[in-house]
Amino acid sequence: MSRRITIVEVGPRDGLQNEKTVLEPAVRVDLVRRLEAAGARRIEAVSFVHPKYVPQMAGAEEVMAALPAEAGRSRIGLVLNGKGYDRALGTAVDEVNIAMSATDGFGLKNQGLNVEQQVQMLADILAGRANAEGAPGATPSLSATLSCVWGCPFDGEVSVDQVSDLVGRIAQLGVEEIALADTIGVGDPWSVTRKVEAARKAAPEAVLRLHFHDTRNTGLANAYAGVEAGVDVLDASVGGIGGCPFAPGATGNIATEDLVYMLERAGFETGYDLDGLIETARWIGERIGRPAPSALSRAGGWPRS
């Protein structure tokens, strides 16, 4: 099979934001470079959040200044609100990813906004983009990530209708790529199928992206279900590091190298160098002071190279 799956590398942002060890911007730039050398072409490099709340992401402007634009590579900046979006516009990010939530509880904890306020925030950003059309300089592309699609640590279960309603509203505002995130890792493959199908009906023209955490050891199974449901874009974090400071008990994302191994063994194309990813996972484990939790960083690939 020759179907290509795009893996968006989120290690430098989602991977590091919940680690106890705070890495200097220069080390995070090194991580981005190593990941790009291993094949990453879309990479969530920074987050424009207040360092008081997420000190691991301090120095986003410094990181981006050390990553000059390169053809064929897209560096993404995550934002939580309009202020973060304005900061992102002052850098060389290629994409801006706006974080939203499927629930009031997580939205209020994560960014101080309930669901309705988040939708209005997104509408305001998009209105500002429309007003700026034709201004000098390129405007980065924009996507939205909907957190807690499979469950919220504060509000509990999240229904299919909640998800499809929000996805439809986000798409109607003009967002062309929408990520569905299992922020606390409570999803299962069957619910992935149901919510992907519902999201596709609600936003048939949008590109769907999936973002899974492996908190309860279902991450790769959920990724498989998403691919089987026709999704071609997935997030992953090198080494399986990651988590959310505002979600109690949240652990790492699915590991990029584990996902690449599964997909390429099945015949899919990802464009990644597995050995390079494994080396990078071990390297970042040394930098954060603990072994990366991914399976491939321990066992290696197969067949042996």
Side-chain angles (χ1 to χ4, degrees), residues 17-247:
Q17 71 173 6
N18 206 39
E19 290 294 327
K20 293 180 180 179
T21 302
V22 177
L23 300 182
E24 293 297 320
V27 179
R28 287 150 52 200
V29 170
D30 195 0
L31 175 59
V32 171
R33 291 296 194 190
R34 288 169 182 265
L35 288 164
E36 289 180 338
R41 291 298 175 263
R42 289 182 70 190
I43 186 164
E44 202 168 61
V46 292
S47 177
F48 295 96
V49 296
H50 199 294
K52 173 183 176 181
Y53 302 109
V54 189
Q56 297 89 338
M57 292 292 101
E61 285 85 355
E62 187 177 344
V63 171
M64 288 308 307
L67 294 170
E70 296 184 35
R73 295 181 180 179
S74 184
R75 284 73 175 253
I76 305 168
L78 180 87
V79 306
L80 301 183
N81 50 40
K83 184 176 291 186
Y85 180 75
D86 290 340
R87 282 182 61 194
L89 291 185
T91 71
V93 293
D94 302 292
E95 302 180 46
V96 175
N97 183 26
I98 298 178
M100 302 179 67
S101 174
T103 65
D104 288 335
F106 188 77
L108 290 168
K109 287 286 186 180
N110 191 49
Q111 57 211 114
L113 301 173
N114 62 28
V115 170
E116 288 302 318
Q117 291 168 328
Q118 291 174 70
V119 173
Q120 185 59 55
M121 175 265 294
L122 176 62
D124 291 344
I125 288 174
L126 289 166
R129 286 170 65 88
N131 292 335
E133 285 183 0
T139 302
S141 61
L142 185 146
S143 63
T145 291
L146 192 57
S147 302
C148 295
V149 165
W150 280 271
C152 173
F154 309 106
D155 294 358
E157 296 287 356
V158 176
S159 71
V160 171
D161 288 343
Q162 280 177 270
V163 174
S164 61
D165 175 67
L166 265 176
V167 168
R169 294 175 69 185
I170 292 169
Q172 286 175 4
L173 289 172
V175 178
E176 296 179 354
E177 182 179 84
I178 303 169
L180 308 180
D182 187 7
T183 309
I184 57 173
V186 294
D188 63 82
W190 297 273
S191 63
V192 168
T193 301
R194 289 193 296 273
K195 287 182 175 175
V196 166
E197 290 175 348
R200 185 171 286 118
K201 289 179 181 177
E205 302 302 318
V207 173
L208 294 182
R209 191 170 89 237
L210 297 176
H211 179 107
F212 294 117
H213 286 248
D214 203 30
T215 313
R216 291 166 178 81
N217 203 33
T218 57
L220 282 181
N222 292 340
Y224 165 81
V227 171
E228 287 294 288
V231 175
D232 294 323
V233 190
L234 292 92
D235 291 353
S237 172
V238 66
I241 60 174
C244 178
F246 305 105

